[in-house]
Amino acid sequence: MTAAATSTETPPVLLQLNDVSKQFAARVGLRKAAVSAVDGVSLTLRRGDTLGVVGESGCGKSTLARLVVGLVQCDSGDVVFDGRTYRAGRRRTRRDLRDMQMVFQDPHSALNPRATIGEAIAFPLRTQGVSRAETEARVDEVLARVGLHGNYRSHYPHQLSGGQRQRVNIARALALKPKLVVLDESVSALDKSVQAQILDLLLELQVEYGLSYLFISHDLNVVEYMSDRVAVMYLGHVVEECSAEELYRAPLHPYSQVLLESIPKLDPRERGGPSALTDGEMPSPLDPPSGCRFRTRCPFAMDVCATTRPPLVETRPGHLVACHLHPVPESATAGDPIPGEQ
Ligand code: SF4
């Protein structure tokens, strides 16, 4: 649990996504098509908090991470970060890039093999115009803070282990003293023991530097360990969002339920392993199901699920779910019928 979670005051919002969508062009045979990677996603991250984003491969979570840091531009909607609004197509300034950093999945390919560790960490500082003396001091500080001896400054990436390389990537992200760090499957490529060390390091750094994390992962155990709130994504939609504690104790959306049931357990008598989810493949994002995108795999699907997209509504305080099984409070707007499908 983060420092923000233990405070009685609600921290201010740092990052807000408002109805953000992104499509990519694709080819199916001779035909041009559009893949809807992220479709109408709205999320909020408060200062000092960690928002976990989970879902299967292809659900759009990595595209979401790239939209937040500006590596790809959204087609519609806007990203509000630290009071600054980025509408569709607005590019980030140098100052914006200083305040939000990203740590990628593969610690090796994220580093230039021809640059020393010292040069890799110093690079973003130099591009931001930080003086040489301050850059040197900052490199020493962050290297020490991620548990690497100053001697590593002159090493090259191939001379380090996978865990050490990811520590370097974290150090590089911290060097500019960002407010937000987007962690995209940042521990997925590491051994379990190294993974645990890196996760604990991230939690320590979060408190020390007052960081907010957007934590993207397919590993539900890791997301539970790290997150204050969790958003569950399926085929570009957020289908449930609530506190991590509530999601893992009482998930409401059928997709969240089968995801959690499929977490492997050490005790074979407990839940885990094959589930209803294994009965079907995720549909192609080139031709997603109408209405609720989960309906082709949902054991509770009804007629309405094929015609009307369920809106993401707050069914309990702080607990949002997009499913026709859960009553929509009177104040909420009903889901819009899909043109041509009613
Ligand atoms: Fe299942 Fe319908 Fe709920 Fe979708 S809206 S998860 S198909 S019950």
Side-chain angles (χ1 to χ4, degrees):
M1 186 180 285
T2 63
T6 56
S7 166
T8 50
E9 281 183 27
T10 305
V13 171
L14 177 68
L15 173 72
Q16 192 154 354
L17 306 183
N18 297 319
D19 206 14
V20 167
S21 297
K22 177 68 187 177
Q23 290 191 338
F24 293 105
R27 271 199 177 274
V28 185
L30 295 175
R31 186 169 63 88
K32 283 186 183 168
V35 178
S36 177
V38 172
D39 186 4
V41 167
S42 297
L43 289 172
T44 298
L45 170 61
R46 294 185 176 279
R47 275 181 205 276
D49 272 3
T50 298
L51 174 63
V53 181
V54 286
E56 293 168 277
S57 175
C59 72
K61 54 191 189 306
S62 287
T63 301
L64 192 74
R66 284 160 173 73
L67 284 169
V68 167
V69 296
L71 286 175
V72 294
Q73 304 295 315
C74 49
D75 298 329
S76 61
D78 52 52
V79 177
V80 183
F81 174 72
D82 201 23
R84 305 190 287 277
T85 301
Y86 304 96
R87 300 224 154 72
R90 180 181 160 187
R91 299 205 171 266
R92 303 292 200 276
T93 64
R94 194 183 288 186
R95 178 185 160 208
D96 302 327
L97 297 172
R98 189 182 63 201
D99 289 341
M100 55 171 82
Q101 294 291 309
M102 188 157 173
V103 179
F104 295 91
Q105 176 176 1
D106 182 357
H108 187 64
S109 61
L111 293 169
N112 179 350
R114 287 190 285 275
T116 64
I117 300 311
E119 289 166 346
I121 298 173
F123 181 73
L125 293 159
R126 297 222 173 98
T127 59
Q128 291 286 338
V130 177
S131 70
R132 181 176 286 273
E134 192 179 345
T135 295
E136 294 299 306
R138 200 86 69 81
V139 171
D140 284 339
E141 179 199 328
V142 290
L143 260 185
R145 195 55 205 86
V146 299
L148 291 176
H149 193 278
N151 291 345
Y152 282 101
R153 282 184 72 134
S154 57
H155 284 46
Y156 286 87
H158 73 270
Q159 296 174 295
L160 274 59
S161 68
Q164 288 171 328
R165 283 194 285 263
Q166 202 58 315
R167 285 175 190 266
V168 171
N169 285 315
I170 293 168
R172 185 172 56 177
L174 289 181
L176 285 165
K177 300 187 176 169
K179 295 174 179 166
L180 170 69
V181 180
V182 176
L183 299 148
D184 185 11
E185 300 279 7
S186 302
V187 295
S188 305
L190 306 174
D191 294 343
K192 285 292 173 200
S193 60
V194 179
Q195 199 178 77
Q197 292 169 17
I198 298 291
L199 292 175
D200 285 338
L201 173 66
L202 287 169
L203 289 174
E204 284 171 26
L205 294 170
Q206 182 171 35
V207 174
E208 188 173 332
Y209 289 87
L211 300 168
S212 304
Y213 290 148
L214 183 65
F215 190 86
I216 314 276
S217 180
H218 68 281
D219 185 332
L220 287 122
N221 286 323
V222 166
V223 170
E224 181 183 19
Y225 186 66
M226 292 296 291
S227 307
D228 297 288
R229 291 184 66 79
V230 180
V232 181
M233 284 189 74
Y234 186 80
L235 267 182
H237 290 169
V238 171
V239 296
E240 186 160 7
E241 195 217 327
C242 60
S243 71
E245 191 274 329
E246 196 161 323
L247 181 72
Y248 286 79
R249 183 174 47 79
L252 293 179
H253 196 282
Y255 177 59
S256 308
Q257 290 166 359
V258 288
L259 264 187
L260 290 166
E261 280 171 13
S262 63
I263 297 176
K265 303 286 190 303
L266 286 177
D267 185 343
R269 291 165 298 184
E270 290 185 50
R271 294 182 309 167
S275 70
L277 199 57
T278 57
D279 291 345
E281 295 277 305
M282 185 187 279
S284 166
L286 282 166
D287 187 20
S290 60
C292 172
R293 291 188 172 177
F294 186 57
R295 70 179 171 82
T296 53
R297 303 166 84 187
C298 179
F300 310 109
M302 305 167 279
D303 289 347
V304 65
C305 304
T307 57
T308 306
R309 173 178 170 176
L312 185 69
V313 292
E314 192 170 28
T315 53
R316 297 178 193 162
H319 194 145
L320 294 87
V321 63
C323 173
H324 293 303
L325 286 175
H326 296 281
V328 180
E330 280 180 11
S331 56
T333 311
D336 298 328
I338 299 165
E341 292 189 352
Q342 281 207 317

